Amino acid sequence: MRYIFVILCIALLTISCSETVARRPVTQKSGSYVKTKTITRNIERVAQEEKALKKVIESDSINDYQSSASGFWYTYVQKDTLSKPTPQVGDLVLFNYNIAAINGKVLVSQEEIGNTVTQIDQSNQDLISGIREGLKLMKEGETVTFLFPSHKAYGYYGVENRVPSNTPVRSTVTLLEIKNQSND
């Protein structure tokens, strides 16, 4: 009996000390098809939006639009003639803006939004990335109309009952005041 007990203990120790190996699934899916399909769809959507924005620019013979390094277009409604400085990182800016469809139909008016204060290059989740980037191009007293593709505006989510998802927008922004934080 003792002999059987010793053999059972050795067998139990041998079995319990062996390395546990995870079982592999019979088939493995990498998800690359879904990723590739999503990437392709996004590339096509961006191309369609850029085509629509360029059509708006071409049909506007009054204004001269410039393209930004950040992927949007803009034209000056009122340009600074005194060579004032642009806002720098950390500066507080007071401005107002509206959001419109690219055909000009106002989606969210400046009156509804009111004047806005933000700090340049600081996290502000309420402000779309296009306006945050556009403010850095402006000088105090200037008014600029921006054309933003949806990824620089409200993107996939849009704004409920106001701005549909994946919608390029037009926004007219007036920079009212720059408060330099480094000198204060």
Side-chain angles (χ1 to χ4, degrees), residues 148-165:
F148 298 121
S150 67
H151 64 274
K152 292 291 178 186
Y154 297 99
Y156 175 76
Y157 296 103
V159 176
E160 188 175 348
N161 299 323
R162 301 307 286 274
V163 182
S165 69

Side-chain angles (χ1 to χ4, degrees), residues 65-180:
Y65 285 86
Q66 300 172 40
S67 64
S68 75
S70 299
F72 57 83
W73 293 264
Y74 62 100
T75 185
Y76 288 92
V77 175
Q78 183 174 342
K79 189 171 172 86
D80 172 64
T81 57
L82 303 175
S83 299
K84 294 179 185 174
T86 57
Q88 301 302 308
V89 174
D91 288 351
L92 288 175
V93 292
L94 173 67
F95 64 100
N96 59 47
Y97 68 101
N98 70 357
I99 300 293
I102 58 173
N103 65 6
K105 178 185 175 205
V106 176
L107 303 172
V108 185
S109 72
Q110 185 272 319
E111 290 77 19
E112 292 176 80
I113 299 169
N115 289 342
T116 304
V117 175
T118 193
Q119 195 168 15
I120 297 296
D121 279 347
Q122 304 301 316
S123 179
N124 184 342
Q125 298 301 328
D126 296 333
L127 198 57
I128 61 175
S129 66
I131 291 178
R132 287 194 310 260
E133 294 166 10
L135 285 168
K136 293 187 271 185
L137 301 173
M138 298 176 68
K139 298 175 182 174
E140 195 172 287
E142 288 185 332
T143 300
V144 177
T145 296
F146 295 97
L147 296 177
F148 298 121
S150 67
H151 64 274
K152 292 291 178 186
Y154 297 99
Y156 175 76
Y157 296 103
V159 176
E160 188 175 348
N161 299 323
R162 301 307 286 274
V163 182
S165 69
N166 298 320
T167 300
V169 297
R170 173 190 306 252
S171 180
T172 300
V173 179
T174 300
L175 182 54
L176 302 169
E177 182 181 354
I178 300 172
K179 184 170 182 175
N180 187 318

Side-chain angles (χ1 to χ4, degrees), residues 19-28:
E19 187 175 315
T20 304
V21 178
R23 296 184 319 172
R24 301 284 176 215
V26 176
T27 60
Q28 294 180 357

Side-chain angles (χ1 to χ4, degrees), residues 7-68:
I7 291 177
L8 284 174
C9 286
I10 292 173
L12 185 60
L13 284 172
T14 305
I15 293 171
S16 66
C17 292
S18 66
E19 187 175 315
T20 304
V21 178
R23 296 184 319 172
R24 301 284 176 215
V26 176
T27 60
Q28 294 180 357
K29 294 184 179 181
S30 67
S32 63
Y33 172 75
V34 173
K35 289 179 185 176
T36 302
K37 190 174 181 180
T38 302
I39 291 169
T40 302
R41 186 177 57 231
N42 287 340
I43 289 171
E44 290 170 356
R45 187 181 63 248
V46 169
Q48 289 172 347
E49 288 179 14
E50 286 185 5
K51 185 177 178 182
L53 291 171
K54 287 179 181 177
K55 187 175 180 181
V56 168
I57 292 168
E58 290 170 1
S59 67
D60 186 354
S61 60
I62 297 172
N63 295 305
D64 179 32
Y65 285 86
Q66 300 172 40
S67 64
S68 75

